[in-house]
């Protein structure tokens, strides 16, 4: 199942959402991948509160199809509109978020997309492995509005290539 949302509504979390400024009318597009329906909805709500367009996938294979990177797919252009950031759960059946990260980073069309891995488990070796493979962040669940506000840095760097030297800081 894949859904897409671009609506904005009031936040019910303690941190106020930071509305992201993007050139033109185009909102940053985030692909959220999680096998948990509840976690997908939480991520989607937090991101739409921050003026993002969100597409969701319930597993890594669905995400690869959306990105045009599934086995047998050759064309990135015939998939969802340009994705500016991918947020993926680490622990999913079939293919982990780490394996999804590796496939994205091995792809010429996907390697430039920032990937953030999330997990409910704080396992330092897992975190290190994901960051070494190219994840921009590793966040612990449940995600909060403050986590999404932190991710704006990666989105803003994509929206403004002159910020090439900007450093995005973790928690």
């Amino acid at each position: 199942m894949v859904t897409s949302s671009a609506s904005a509504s009031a936040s019910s979390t303690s941190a106020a959402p930071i509305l992201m400024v993007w050139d033109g009318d185009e909102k940053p597009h985030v692909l959220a991948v999680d096998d948990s329906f509840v976690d997908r909805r939480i991520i989607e709500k937090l991101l739409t509160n921050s003026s993002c367009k969100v597409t969701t996938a319930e597993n890594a294979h669905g995400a690869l199809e959306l990105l045009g990177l599934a086995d047998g797919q050759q064309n990135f252009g015939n998939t969802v509109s340009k994705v500016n950031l991918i947020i993926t759960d680490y622990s999913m059946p079939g293919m982990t978020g780490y394996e999804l990260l590796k496939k994205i980073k091995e792809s010429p069309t996907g390697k430039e997309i920032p990937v953030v891995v999330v997990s409910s488990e704080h396992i330092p070796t897992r975190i290190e492995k994901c960051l070494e493979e190219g994840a921009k962040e590793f966040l612990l669940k449940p995600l909060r509005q403050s986590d999404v506000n932190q991710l704006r840095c990666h989105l803003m760097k994509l929206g403004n290539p002159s910020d090439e030297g900007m450093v995005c800081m973790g928690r």
Side-chain angles (χ1 to χ4, degrees):
M1 168 138 182
V2 174
T3 62
S4 183
S5 172
S7 64
S9 60
S11 173
S12 61
T13 59
S14 58
I18 293 178
L19 299 180
M20 297 179 197
V21 179
W22 205 251
D23 291 337
D25 293 330
E26 182 183 343
K27 293 181 179 184
H29 187 185
V30 180
L31 174 60
V33 188
D34 201 310
D35 59 313
S36 164
F37 174 77
V38 172
D39 286 338
R40 278 196 315 274
R41 291 304 306 237
I42 290 170
I43 293 169
E44 182 177 23
K45 180 152 180 61
L46 291 171
L47 288 165
T48 56
N49 285 346
S50 293
S51 300
C52 290
K53 175 183 177 184
V54 181
T55 300
T56 62
E58 65 184 14
N59 57 46
H61 294 290
L64 290 172
E65 285 180 19
L66 285 169
L67 294 168
L69 301 176
D71 292 338
Q73 284 183 297
Q74 304 275 319
N75 191 348
F76 187 75
N78 292 337
T79 58
V80 295
S81 62
K82 181 171 173 32
V83 172
N84 304 107
L85 179 75
I86 299 167
I87 298 178
T88 182
D89 183 24
Y90 182 90
S91 298
M92 295 184 289
M95 179 187 294
T96 67
Y98 174 73
E99 293 166 324
L100 174 62
L101 169 67
K102 284 179 63 170
K103 286 199 174 278
I104 291 167
K105 294 304 176 184
E106 289 169 358
S107 163
T109 55
K111 68 181 177 184
E112 298 302 319
I113 303 171
V115 178
V116 174
V117 180
V118 297
S119 179
S120 58
E121 301 171 309
H122 184 271
I123 302 173
T125 55
R126 179 182 289 175
I127 295 168
E128 186 177 319
K129 184 169 73 166
C130 289
L131 294 174
E132 285 176 358
E133 192 61 44
K136 294 295 183 186
E137 301 276 348
F138 191 103
L139 301 174
L140 292 176
K141 291 181 180 181
L143 288 186
R144 300 174 310 268
Q145 191 66 52
S146 59
D147 295 319
V148 173
N149 293 348
Q150 172 185 324
L151 297 179
R152 78 185 183 284
C153 176
H154 298 294
L155 290 166
M156 297 309 286
K157 282 176 68 173
L158 287 172
N160 188 358
S162 65
D163 287 342
E164 184 97 13
M166 180 169 53
V167 176
C168 298
M169 303 300 287
R171 290 183 194 230

